[in-house]
Amino acid sequence: MKETQPCTCWESKALPTLNPVILVIDDEEQILQLLEITLRRQGFQVFTASSGQDAVAVLARYRGKVDMVLLDVRMPELDGPDTLAALRQVAPDVRCC
């Protein structure tokens, strides 16, 4: 497993005030849907991905538009830490919790 940087989502950079965009990554469909619905009700724009590979593709497609990533730790194939490392290859400053 690769060493990744710790979560910094609460540090210095505040999220934009107008409809921040969150990328939610979880391999369990029910959890993914619940998080998407809940976050949308709170005014967030939400992209979803059901795997680490899909998340990397979504982040690459919407580079610069995603404000934060909400990431499951235990997933098949690419787990959370490996997914975070891959996401940071695409967007080194991505905030993730």
Side-chain angles (χ1 to χ4, degrees):
M1 188 180 319
K2 298 175 183 119
E3 187 173 320
T4 58
Q5 296 175 351
C7 176
T8 59
C9 60
W10 63 86
E11 293 178 359
S12 63
K13 298 179 191 173
L15 291 175
T17 56
L18 298 175
N19 298 331
V21 178
I22 297 180
L23 171 56
V24 179
I25 308 159
D26 201 301
D27 61 311
E28 295 184 43
E29 187 64 31
Q30 290 178 334
I31 292 173
L32 195 62
Q33 288 177 357
L34 176 65
L35 289 170
E36 180 179 13
I37 290 167
T38 302
L39 290 167
R40 285 187 190 279
R41 285 183 181 166
Q42 295 300 315
F44 293 95
Q45 294 181 42
V46 181
F47 295 121
T48 61
S50 59
S51 71
Q53 294 90 342
D54 289 345
V56 171
V58 170
L59 189 62
R61 182 173 181 189
Y62 296 103
R63 184 181 310 187
K65 294 183 172 106
V66 174
D67 297 303
M68 186 169 40
V69 173
L70 182 59
L71 175 60
D72 185 9
V73 174
R74 294 185 180 198
M75 297 186 295
E77 298 175 34
L78 276 182
D79 64 6
D82 289 340
T83 298
L84 180 56
L87 292 172
R88 288 202 167 134
Q89 291 292 317
V90 174
D93 294 332
V94 68
R95 289 175 277 183
C96 183
C97 290

